[in-house]
Amino acid sequence: MSRSVSGSVVAITGAARGIGLSVAKALQASGARVAISDIDEPAVGRAAAEHGLDLHRRLDVADGEAFRAFLDEVEAELGPLDALINNAGIMPTGRLIDEDDAVSRRVIEINTLGFIFGTKAALERMVPRGSGHIVNIASTMGEAAVPGLATYNASKAAVLMFSDAARLEYRGSGVSISAILPGAVKTELGAGIKGPRGIPSIQPADVAEVVVDTLAGGSSRSRVYVPRVFGLLLDAGKLMPRGLMEALNRAMGAETAVLRDADLVGRREYEERVAAQSRKRGG
């Protein structure tokens, strides 16, 4: 049964920009009370002030205690947590052999451990109350391997399996766990990279609309593809021999999308910031 998200208390990670901020704005427009977090403290502060969001905090999602402290603040100021949107993520690109170990580690910390820590912290609050919804923003790249994104692929595949196991473990608890799988999204994270031929890139607002609909639906959803055609393509690929599926991926440009065809100049600022933050965290 569909329900309104109006009045719900929702916390979102990685929400200074891109998908996270679009989700925050869509939920606010639907009447939710929204708390946003991001590791970029100035940016998350600006976003909250510009859009009149209820609460904002700096958060490194790879710090489990800091994640719990963030949710403690959300509940203290806004009320019991109804939904958590795990969205924070980074996507460095390039040949695996050239990827700094600090960057590899940081991808897994943010894209995978951050989702695990956030889900655990939310469950600690939601399970005793018998209600709540955790939405994990995964990626179609968790199911489709792309050269130049090996560590990112691994991190998102892990999120999908984690979400599946957690959903089954807490089935019947009153807490829903859903996974959203966007394709190529026009954000800074995806700058300079085109999606497969024949599948249009989408806007952050398209993902935000799906997140709001998922929360309003109330029930767990194991896979929600954005756009939906991406899911149809991936499902069809699972029925093919692997060699045929990989040949189709080559024909659609997936194997060269990052290592040959990406606009690296357009990604330079993003890549440099990710590398700097990774070295800082590692040091």
Side-chain angles (χ1 to χ4, degrees), residues 90-110:
I90 58 174
M91 192 178 77
T93 60
R95 296 194 312 158
L96 182 60
I97 200 171
D98 296 328
E99 184 176 277
D100 189 277
D101 287 349
V103 172
S104 302
R105 181 179 295 108
R106 195 63 176 145
V107 172
I108 300 301
E109 286 180 343
I110 295 175

Side-chain angles (χ1 to χ4, degrees), residues 156-179:
K156 289 301 183 178
V159 164
L160 288 173
M161 188 56 66
F162 168 75
S163 299
D164 284 342
R167 173 175 51 82
L168 295 175
E169 183 173 338
Y170 289 94
R171 176 180 284 170
S173 70
V175 180
S176 300
I177 299 177
S178 299

Side-chain angles (χ1 to χ4, degrees), residues 205-244:
D206 298 322
V207 183
E209 181 181 355
V210 170
V211 171
V212 174
D213 288 346
T214 298
L215 291 179
S219 301
S220 296
R221 300 185 66 185
S222 63
R223 300 285 189 281
V224 185
Y225 297 94
V226 192
R228 189 174 301 174
V229 66
F230 224 133
L232 298 176
L233 180 64
L234 289 171
D235 285 344
K238 294 169 188 175
L239 301 176
M240 299 178 186
R242 181 163 296 276
L244 179 58

Side-chain angles (χ1 to χ4, degrees), residues 51-207:
H51 300 287
L53 298 168
D54 295 283
L55 183 150
H56 73 277
R57 292 291 184 272
R58 180 189 183 278
L59 173 64
D60 180 350
V61 296
D63 183 337
E65 289 306 310
F67 212 134
R68 287 178 172 85
F70 168 58
L71 296 187
D72 284 342
E73 289 190 71
V74 172
E75 295 203 317
E77 297 196 26
L78 305 182
L81 183 70
D82 294 297
L84 169 66
I85 314 299
N86 281 315
N87 169 74
I90 58 174
M91 192 178 77
T93 60
R95 296 194 312 158
L96 182 60
I97 200 171
D98 296 328
E99 184 176 277
D100 189 277
D101 287 349
V103 172
S104 302
R105 181 179 295 108
R106 195 63 176 145
V107 172
I108 300 301
E109 286 180 343
I110 295 175
N111 296 9
T112 304
L113 283 178
F115 281 59
I116 294 172
F117 292 161
T119 298
K120 289 165 63 178
L123 286 171
E124 290 166 2
R125 292 157 172 78
M126 295 174 175
V127 170
R129 295 196 293 261
S131 66
H133 203 146
I134 299 166
V135 176
N136 290 330
I137 307 298
S139 171
T140 53
M141 296 302 95
E143 294 189 340
V146 176
L149 291 177
T151 307
Y152 182 80
N153 280 147
S155 72
K156 289 301 183 178
V159 164
L160 288 173
M161 188 56 66
F162 168 75
S163 299
D164 284 342
R167 173 175 51 82
L168 295 175
E169 183 173 338
Y170 289 94
R171 176 180 284 170
S173 70
V175 180
S176 300
I177 299 177
S178 299
I180 310 295
L181 289 75
V185 187
K186 295 180 180 179
T187 64
E188 185 186 37
L189 180 145
I193 299 176
K194 297 179 181 179
R197 296 188 188 98
I199 300 180
S201 296
I202 57 175
Q203 297 292 339
D206 298 322
V207 183

Side-chain angles (χ1 to χ4, degrees), residues 235-265:
D235 285 344
K238 294 169 188 175
L239 301 176
M240 299 178 186
R242 181 163 296 276
L244 179 58
M245 180 183 68
E246 292 180 356
L248 178 60
N249 287 341
R250 285 194 294 274
M252 297 181 71
E255 288 199 5
T256 57
V258 173
L259 294 181
R260 191 190 72 186
D261 302 333
D263 175 11
L264 298 183
V265 174

